[in-house]
Amino acid sequence: MRKLDLLKLSPPRILVSGFALIILIGGILLSLPVSAAPGHEPISFLDALFTATSATCVTGLVVADTGRDFSTFGQVVIMLLIQVGGLGFMTMATLVALMLKKKISLRERLILQEALNQSSMEGIVRLIRKVLIYSLTIEAVAAVIFTIRWAFEYPLGKAMFLGMWHAVSMFNNAGFDLFGEYRSLTMYVNDPVVNVVAMCLIILGGIGFIVMSDLMDYRQKRKLSLHTKVVLSTSAFLIVLGALVIFIFEYSNAKTMGPLSFQGKVLSAFFQSVTPRTAGANTLDIAGLRQATQFFIIILMFIGASPGSTGGGIKTTTFTTLVGGIISMIRGKEDIVLFRNRLAKDRLLKALTITMIALILVVFVSMLLSTTEDHSFLMILFEVTSAFGTVGLSMGLTANLTVFGKIMIMLMMFAGRLGPLTLAYALQPNKEKELYRYPEGKIIIG
């Protein structure tokens, strides 16, 4: 592509192209013999591309065992893909530019604005600096705690690698692990250190960089933005509600919580409530959960994390806006009011658009896969929603997908990471100014 053509691309198209290029490079690297574990054959290019897509889109669905099938080189490649995918390739490019003391152009600021879902370019480079400082600091602190914890089980060198690797994976809501046999963190279901640190990483990565920046500036401003209040209140509500529902449904389930101590039950209930917020790690056997719990987790995965975060889904603010719209309509009110602030009408329209596109994608792909994959519809719906929400939780379908199934799940992960609207804007023809408007008409609703 000529440079002139590249300059004509809109920010959404540059984001789509950038992520696609990173996935392709990652797929090539992971298919090389050097990426295969000693004594193992390199995985196929399709499986390598699937793994690269899952890592770059910070999902965690895997067709190859990360801890068993990849060498240290392959695992480092996956970790770097997670970091670049979680923070965004434009954020990482800005880091390099800042280190080289290069000036950030207007066009680059526009792309950063789109990548972080900001309404304006004001202070965008300052926000990027904060994002990088907060992210790397949080990951470093968590890596040290994990290293100390795992130093009791592994040699110090391996404990340090595991600590750094899982700190990056958890903070970026990727859900990849190195413990092999697709176990995730199930062996640490009763471990408060691993559980609490992992949950803190997932929550901090999922609330969004804008919220983190707002919280860090609270001491000076003594005020939180409406966005931060909505994200924190919605996230807290969903986590507590999710933990309560999972605790009740799974308390006596012999395949999950049944054999655990009361502390283990509480920890696992909260962990499984936090992780559908696009993290993907699990301390309970997902396939062993009751169907009611599995369906409830599908709902949590569909909602996902918050805007400007490492997570996917329709986002907490979208969910809250829809609920606010429903409540306002039932009460006969004209405005959606949150924390004594009225939302503009276009916020509700955008929330409806995102939700409908997401719902259509999930339903359509689930219907397609139900004809190609010989598994229950709930299992297929769970896997598709997990891919769209960039969650990574699995009932065991991913490793047994057909070629067509792998391609569809890859596309879902890609769409989920970029967001339905960004993808729609990237695919639509160039906008043309409307020269006229049609007369208003009325139809009967409901």
Side-chain angles (χ1 to χ4, degrees):
M1 182 180 289
R2 291 181 298 135
K3 187 176 180 180
L4 187 62
D5 294 331
L6 186 62
L7 289 173
K8 290 179 180 178
L9 290 178
S10 63
R13 288 177 181 173
I14 290 176
L15 287 177
V16 170
S17 303
F19 269 100
L21 181 61
I22 292 167
I23 289 168
L24 180 60
I25 294 170
I28 292 170
L29 289 174
L30 292 176
S31 65
L32 297 175
V34 70
S35 293
H40 286 64
E41 289 291 321
I43 62 175
S44 68
F45 181 69
L46 178 62
D47 286 350
L49 198 64
F50 188 100
T51 305
T53 304
S54 186
T56 307
C57 298
V58 289
T59 305
L61 292 175
V62 292
V63 289
D65 193 315
T66 314
R68 182 194 63 201
D69 296 333
F70 290 101
S71 64
T72 302
F73 175 83
Q75 291 167 357
V76 169
V77 169
I78 292 171
M79 182 178 68
L80 292 175
L81 289 173
I82 291 170
Q83 188 71 284
V84 173
L87 298 183
F89 76 92
M90 278 304 300
T91 304
M92 301 305 290
T94 305
L95 170 63
V96 175
L98 292 173
M99 289 173 65
L100 297 174
K101 297 184 178 180
K102 179 181 175 293
K103 190 175 181 181
I104 310 300
S105 69
L106 177 63
R107 183 161 187 76
E108 288 164 344
R109 291 169 191 263
L110 281 169
I111 300 168
L112 287 169
Q113 178 189 341
E114 179 70 27
L116 291 176
N117 200 17
Q118 292 289 285
S119 56
S120 74
M121 288 189 296
E122 185 181 354
I124 194 73
V125 176
R126 188 167 60 251
L127 177 60
I128 291 295
R129 284 198 185 98
K130 289 181 179 179
V131 165
L132 291 167
I133 292 169
Y134 298 161
S135 302
L136 297 177
T137 302
I138 291 167
E139 288 176 354
V141 171
V144 170
I145 298 173
F146 276 147
T147 298
I148 295 170
R149 168 62 186 84
W150 283 322
F152 291 99
E153 295 181 36
Y154 302 98
L156 183 59
K158 185 172 182 180
M160 289 177 67
F161 184 71
L162 287 173
M164 178 177 63
W165 206 95
H166 288 90
V168 171
S169 178
M170 296 300 164
F171 177 74
N172 288 288
N173 282 210
F176 280 82
D177 72 274
L178 296 180
F179 297 110
E181 300 177 19
Y182 305 102
R183 292 179 297 172
S184 191
L185 299 179
T186 52
M187 71 287 280
Y188 297 108
V189 64
N190 284 303
D191 191 311
V193 175
V194 174
N195 275 264
V196 172
V197 174
M199 282 192 285
C200 288
L201 285 170
I202 293 164
I203 292 168
L204 289 172
I207 60 176
F209 303 120
I210 306 140
V211 174
M212 277 198 286
S213 175
D214 206 18
L215 290 173
M216 295 300 288
D217 292 341
Y218 180 73
R219 293 182 68 178
Q220 288 82 29
K221 295 181 179 179
R222 291 292 174 183
K223 185 181 179 182
L224 294 176
S225 67
L226 175 63
H227 173 80
T228 298
K229 290 177 183 177
V230 170
V231 166
L232 292 179
S233 57
T234 306
S235 298
F237 170 75
L238 290 173
I239 289 170
V240 173
L241 175 66
L244 186 63
V245 170
I246 292 168
F247 184 83
I248 293 170
F249 284 179
E250 297 299 318
Y251 189 87
S252 60
N253 188 348
K255 296 178 181 179
T256 54
M257 282 189 193
L260 301 179
S261 63
F262 184 77
Q263 175 185 292
K265 286 180 168 67
V266 173
L267 280 175
S268 60
F270 271 98
F271 194 92
Q272 289 313 136
S273 176
V274 169
T275 198
R277 318 304 304 288
T278 84
N282 58 284
T283 56
L284 296 176
D285 179 15
I286 301 300
L289 296 171
R290 292 191 168 111
Q291 286 191 352
T293 311
Q294 290 168 345
F295 188 75
F296 180 71
I297 288 176
I298 287 173
I299 297 170
L300 292 179
M301 292 192 296
F302 187 75
I303 296 170
S306 301
S309 72
T310 59
I314 62 170
K315 304 295 191 293
T316 51
T317 49
T318 303
F319 170 72
T320 302
T321 302
L322 290 176
V323 172
I326 292 169
I327 293 172
S328 296
M329 181 65 71
I330 291 173
R331 289 181 174 178
K333 304 289 184 180
E334 192 172 322
D335 298 320
I336 301 171
V337 178
L338 301 172
F339 294 98
R340 298 185 179 181
N341 283 267
R342 173 174 55 83
L343 295 187
K345 297 291 184 184
D346 70 308
R347 298 297 89 187
L348 180 58
L349 186 60
K350 186 174 182 179
L352 283 168
T353 303
I354 290 170
T355 305
M356 286 306 300
I357 293 174
L359 196 59
I360 290 167
L361 272 174
V362 169
V363 170
F364 178 70
V365 174
S366 297
M367 288 173 62
L368 276 181
L369 293 188
S370 66
T371 63
T372 62
E373 315 300 317
D374 188 19
H375 294 278
S376 69
F377 184 75
L378 182 63
M379 181 181 279
I380 291 169
L381 179 63
F382 191 99
E383 219 79 5
V384 171
T385 309
S386 179
F388 171 77
T390 69
V391 181
L393 292 176
S394 175
M395 289 172 63
L397 174 61
T398 302
N400 301 308
L401 286 169
T402 61
V403 172
F404 178 78
K406 289 176 183 177
I407 293 170
M408 294 308 298
I409 293 295
M410 279 194 287
L411 291 174
M412 286 299 290
M413 290 189 288
F414 192 70
R417 179 63 187 94
L418 288 163
L421 276 186
T422 299
L423 203 58
Y425 290 153
L427 296 175
Q428 74 177 3
N430 292 327
K431 292 181 182 178
E432 292 183 6
K433 188 177 179 181
E434 292 183 359
L435 300 177
Y436 57 89
R437 295 178 70 188
Y438 290 100
E440 185 179 288
K442 293 184 179 181
I443 58 172
I444 299 171
I445 302 293

